[in-house]
Amino acid sequence: MTVSFKADPAFDAGSVVVCDWPLCQVRLQDDARFPWLILIPRRDGLREIEDLSPTERARLIDEVVRAGTKVRELGQAAGRPVQKLNVGALGNVTAQLHLHVIGRRQDDGLWPDPVWGRGMASPYGAHGLQAAVSRIRLGAGGGAANS
């Protein structure tokens, strides 16, 4: 891994670092309206998926699937099971390569519209944030935080 990796500071405004997986930094979007993880490959200078090696692209897909499992766990724990996983790598605002993995429901308030820039975020609060981070780090579907 690149020792000097730094996520774009723009991520700090709405998300918290949870852990590192083999390729990506895993962040929780601090918006309790949606179970939502952000995966940022820990390589400097990446803008597009094509900038990853074929091996890294395969790893990224594995980590997206793993993140989907975690997002489903967050939705289940909140009593709002995920009906559809949305995965996006837009980068129009923050060009650094990152993928959003978001759990959606037909009754989530924005369905079927996209979530970006819509409505006010509903922060988890200290206890909720701690519980969500713990669930991501230790829940089923992938092992320990840094595995």
Side-chain angles (χ1 to χ4, degrees):
M1 293 295 150
T2 305
V3 175
S4 65
F5 168 78
K6 288 188 180 185
D8 187 299
F11 289 109
D12 294 334
S15 67
V16 297
V17 175
V18 174
C19 59
D20 288 336
W21 287 347
L23 177 64
C24 295
Q25 179 182 89
V26 180
R27 298 182 74 98
L28 174 67
Q29 186 73 15
D30 190 11
D31 187 348
R33 297 177 301 165
F34 311 100
W36 183 343
L37 295 180
I38 302 170
L39 302 178
I40 308 171
R42 293 187 328 271
R43 304 283 189 275
D44 289 330
L46 299 179
R47 294 176 59 94
E48 307 292 346
I49 292 172
E50 66 194 27
D51 295 336
L52 295 167
S53 72
T55 300
E56 290 169 329
R57 288 192 296 261
R59 170 62 71 185
L60 180 61
I61 293 299
D62 287 344
E63 292 186 11
V64 165
V65 171
R66 183 177 177 185
T69 299
K70 299 296 186 175
V71 163
R72 288 185 187 282
E73 289 176 12
L74 291 171
Q76 190 70 34
R80 298 186 312 269
V82 169
Q83 295 172 327
K84 177 69 177 102
L85 284 173
N86 289 177
V87 177
L90 298 163
N92 295 342
V93 174
T94 306
Q96 182 177 25
L97 178 60
H98 63 285
L99 279 79
H100 297 266
V101 182
I102 308 166
R104 299 296 306 272
R105 294 177 49 87
Q106 290 181 350
D107 63 357
D108 70 22
L110 292 179
W111 183 273
D113 296 332
V115 299
W116 288 274
R118 300 288 311 273
M120 295 295 295
S122 177
Y124 280 93
H127 177 72
L129 195 60
Q130 181 182 15
V133 166
S134 293
R135 183 168 303 282
I136 296 161
R137 287 181 178 161
L138 302 174
N146 292 317
S147 64

